[in-house]
Amino acid sequence: MIRHEEILDRIKVLPGLPDSVVRLSALMRDKHADIDELEKAVRPDATLTANLLRVANSALYKRSKTVESVRQALTVLGEKRVYQMALADSVSRLFQDTLPGYGVSARQFWMHNAAVAVFSERLAHLVSLPNPEMVFTLGLLHDIGKLVIGAFLADTGENLTQQLKSGSVTLLEIEQRVLGTDHAEVGELVTRHWTLPETIVAVTRWHHAPQNAPEDLRPLVDVVHLADSLSTSIGFGSDIGELARRVTQSSIDRLHVTTTQLERIAGETLEQILEMNEFSGPNQGGPQWDTMS
Amino acid sequence: MNPAYDEGRLYSIIVDIADLKVSDDPNAVIITHALGSCIAVILYDPTRRVGGMIHYMLPLSSTSPEKAQQKPAMFADTGVPLLFEEMYKYGCKKQDLIVKIAGGGKLWEDKGTFEIGKRNYTVLRKIFWKNSIMITAEDVGGPKSRTARLYLADGRTTISSRGEELVL
C-alpha cells in the first residue's frame, strides 16, 4: 500500500505539462484562431519545428520541393495535423524513460498513447461527437497516472506477471490490491494538479469504468475506453497486463459501434500511428517495434 | 545443420505489423513482436531451409480495399497468399512447407464486438481449408500478447508471452 502523501509528493516532482500543450489546446478550441497564431505557438520551439519539417518532407507527403519553414509545413500538413503533431511532440517529452512496474519501454508506452489518441479521434468522428480533434488530446493523456505509480509498482517486489497468470484478474485490480489505488485514480490527481479541463480529468479518472463518469462527459469517456481497448487488442504498446482487461459492454451499446467499424478504424489509421511513433516518440529514429520479452 | 550456420552470427529480421518477410539465410531469426489480436503465419521449408513470416492485423481486405492495395500484408485474405508466393520465389513447394500460427488474442468482454482475433483466426482457417493447407502447430487465443521467433537454421519456432517461452 502507498500513502496518499507519497503519491502527492511524486506528482509534485513530475515535469509539468509543457506550456505549448496548454496553448495549442486553447488554439484548437478557438474556431477563430488563425494560421499566424499557430505559427507563433510553434516557432519558438526548435525541436517541434524540426520534427514538423521532417514529417512534411517525409515520403508520406510526396513533394517535389523541400519544405523549409513552419508556414510551409502548415500548408503541406494542414492545420489540424500540425496541432496534433505539436501536442504529440509536447506530451511525448514526458515519456522519456522506461516506465517501471509495467514492463514497457518509453517507446512502447508512447506508441500505446499515440494509438489511443488516433483511435479516439476516429471513433469520436464516427459517432459524431463535437470536436473530434480535441478527443485526440484526451487519448494522449488517458494513462498519465502510470507515470506516477509505475515506480511504486516496481518497488513492491511482487511478481505481477505471476498474479496476472493466476486467473481472471486485470492489471488495474492488481494495482488496487498491491498499492491501494490505481493509475486511473492517480491520473485524476495528476490532471487536477495540472489544472487541466474537466474533460481530461474525467477521461483519465474513468477510462476503465466509463459507467461511473459524469453523464455529460460519458460519451467522451466511452470513446477513449473503446479506443484504449482497441489499441490493446491490436497490440500497440502492450504492457505486462497484455490483453487481460475488460471491455465495458455499456460503452459499446451507448455508441453502437460494430466490429467492422473497429476493424476499419484500425486499418485506416495504421500509417498515422506509425508516423507518430517515428517522428514524435521518445528516442526518435530507433526501432519502431521494440520488444518487451 | 546447415554448414553456413554460425551461432555467433545470428541476427534478427523484424516483421512489423502488417508486414511480411522471407529469408534463406541460416543465421537469420525472423521475429515479430506484440501479436495481440493480430496473427503471425510462420512458414518453413526444411529441405531448402527457407522461412517466412507475416504479421497481419485484420481478416478481410473488403474493410479497406484501398489499404489492401498499399499494404496487402495488413489483411489475411491478401497477405497470406502473398507470403506463400514469396516462398515459391525461393523454389519452395506447398507440400514441403511446415505451417505454424500464433496470436489471435482476445480481451475480456461480453458480446464479442472486439473479437478481431477470433475473426482473424476463422478467416485464416477458411483460406487454408480452401487451399488444402494443414496447420502443424498453433498457439492462439487467450488474453495474451505474443512474440514469435523463427530460426532459419533449423526451423525452430518459439512463442513468448507473460514471461514464458514455448517451442511451437
Side-chain angles (χ1 to χ4, degrees):
Chain A
M1 295 288 156
I2 39 173
R3 287 181 299 118
H4 192 64
E5 296 75 35
E6 289 180 279
I7 295 174
L8 293 181
D9 285 348
R10 182 122 193 130
I11 289 173
K12 282 183 204 139
V13 300
L14 265 191
L17 200 60
D19 282 349
S20 48
V21 175
V22 181
R23 256 199 337 269
L24 287 161
S25 295
L27 281 177
M28 225 155 125
R29 268 196 301 266
D30 181 0
K31 293 255 182 281
H32 305 294
D34 64 13
I35 203 160
D36 290 332
E37 290 176 67
L38 184 54
E39 194 183 3
K40 261 188 263 165
V42 171
R43 275 182 51 194
D45 193 326
T47 319
L48 176 56
T49 301
N51 284 340
L52 284 175
L53 295 181
R54 279 173 62 208
V55 174
N57 285 308
S58 74
L60 273 167
Y61 303 90
K62 298 174 190 78
R63 306 271 307 167
S64 51
K65 277 171 74 181
T66 310
V67 175
E68 288 167 338
S69 68
V70 170
R71 179 60 74 120
Q72 285 172 317
L74 275 161
T75 317
V76 174
L77 301 170
E79 289 175 43
K80 194 189 88 177
R81 297 284 290 122
V82 170
Y83 279 131
Q84 293 185 342
M85 283 289 304
L87 280 170
D89 193 82
S90 309
V91 173
S92 76
R93 290 176 207 180
L94 297 169
F95 300 170
Q96 291 302 327
D97 298 314
T98 295
L99 184 62
Y102 290 92
V104 284
S105 64
R107 198 172 182 82
Q108 286 169 311
F109 187 47
W110 170 245
M111 179 104 170
H112 174 70
N113 290 286
V116 175
V118 171
F119 289 160
S120 295
E121 185 191 355
R122 283 294 182 111
L123 271 167
H125 202 266
L126 179 76
V127 301
S128 306
L129 290 190
N131 293 326
E133 294 84 0
M134 286 303 296
V135 181
F136 180 90
T137 315
L138 304 179
L140 270 188
L141 292 170
H142 76 287
D143 262 349
I144 205 79
K146 288 185 176 177
L147 283 182
V148 175
I149 60 167
F152 293 113
L153 262 187
D155 288 347
T156 59
E158 297 215 22
N159 188 337
L160 305 180
T161 308
Q162 202 56 43
Q163 295 188 29
L164 281 160
K165 271 193 288 198
S166 65
S168 57
V169 59
T170 65
L171 188 53
L172 199 79
E173 289 157 356
I174 290 179
E175 289 172 6
Q176 276 290 349
R177 192 194 298 163
V178 303
L179 299 177
T181 186
D182 59 47
H183 71 269
E185 286 181 4
V186 173
E188 177 182 8
L189 299 177
V190 178
T191 48
R192 288 211 187 281
H193 177 73
W194 283 342
T195 59
L196 294 176
E198 241 0 83
T199 47
I200 302 182
V201 176
V203 164
T204 48
R205 174 65 187 92
W206 301 114
H207 69 277
H208 284 283
Q211 68 279 10
N212 297 333
E215 204 173 336
D216 56 328
L217 302 175
R218 198 175 295 142
L220 288 170
V221 182
D222 284 333
V223 158
V224 175
H225 171 72
L226 297 185
D228 189 17
S229 304
L230 183 60
S231 165
T232 306
S233 175
I234 301 284
F236 288 120
S238 212
D239 62 22
I240 56 165
E242 299 196 356
L243 272 57
R245 66 159 67 204
R246 293 197 179 87
V247 187
T248 303
Q249 184 61 41
S250 56
S251 292
I252 298 171
D253 295 341
R254 278 191 291 271
L255 299 184
H256 305 290
V257 177
T258 66
T259 310
T260 315
Q261 287 171 330
L262 293 173
E263 287 180 356
R264 185 170 301 132
I265 286 173
E268 291 184 348
T269 54
L270 177 65
E271 272 172 312
Q272 193 188 344
I273 293 165
L274 295 180
E275 181 194 295
M276 273 179 76
N277 194 41
E278 185 177 356
F279 290 108
S280 58
N283 317 312
Q284 287 166 32
Q288 286 195 10
W289 205 254
D290 52 356
T291 173
M292 64 174 282
S293 50
Chain B
M1 191 59 65
N2 190 314
Y5 174 68
D6 175 356
E7 198 176 323
R9 292 179 52 233
L10 281 185
Y11 70 96
S12 306
I13 297 175
I14 304 287
V15 181
D16 288 329
I17 186 167
D19 182 20
L20 68 84
K21 296 276 166 58
V22 173
S23 171
D24 61 355
D25 185 338
N27 295 307
V29 185
I30 306 183
I31 304 180
T32 203
H33 297 295
L35 287 161
S37 54
C38 302
I39 287 185
V41 175
I42 304 147
L43 302 181
Y44 188 69
D45 178 341
T47 57
R48 294 169 190 84
R49 298 185 195 281
V50 176
M53 190 188 292
I54 182 173
H55 177 150
Y56 71 83
M57 186 178 171
L58 298 167
L60 297 167
S61 56
S62 54
T63 5
S64 312
E66 196 188 312
K67 289 289 161 194
Q69 291 267 320
Q70 301 160 358
K71 255 186 177 312
M74 185 182 281
F75 303 96
D77 62 345
T78 46
V80 174
L82 194 61
L83 175 65
F84 278 80
E85 281 165 30
E86 290 299 313
M87 295 288 290
Y88 300 156
K89 285 183 189 165
Y90 283 78
C92 302
K93 302 264 186 295
K94 188 164 87 175
Q95 62 270 23
D96 296 335
L97 296 177
I98 297 169
V99 180
K100 297 177 182 177
I101 65 177
K106 58 176 290 199
L107 307 167
W108 291 321
E109 60 165 341
D110 297 336
K111 293 186 184 160
T113 310
F114 277 81
E115 283 195 340
I116 299 171
K118 191 174 168 188
R119 280 162 55 79
N120 274 336
Y121 183 70
T122 308
V123 166
L124 181 66
R125 292 298 295 248
K126 277 189 190 161
I127 294 169
F128 282 175
W129 185 78
K130 272 193 197 163
N131 293 283
S132 312
I133 292 160
M134 302 293 283
I135 297 169
T136 306
E138 64 178 38
D139 178 36
V140 294
K144 291 182 172 181
S145 172
R146 296 168 167 91
T147 292
R149 290 182 175 80
L150 170 65
Y151 295 80
L152 273 282
D154 56 4
R156 187 160 60 94
T157 307
T158 63
I159 310 296
S160 30
S161 169
R162 300 180 153 196
E164 282 173 6
E165 185 174 84
L166 68 90
V167 176
L168 197 63

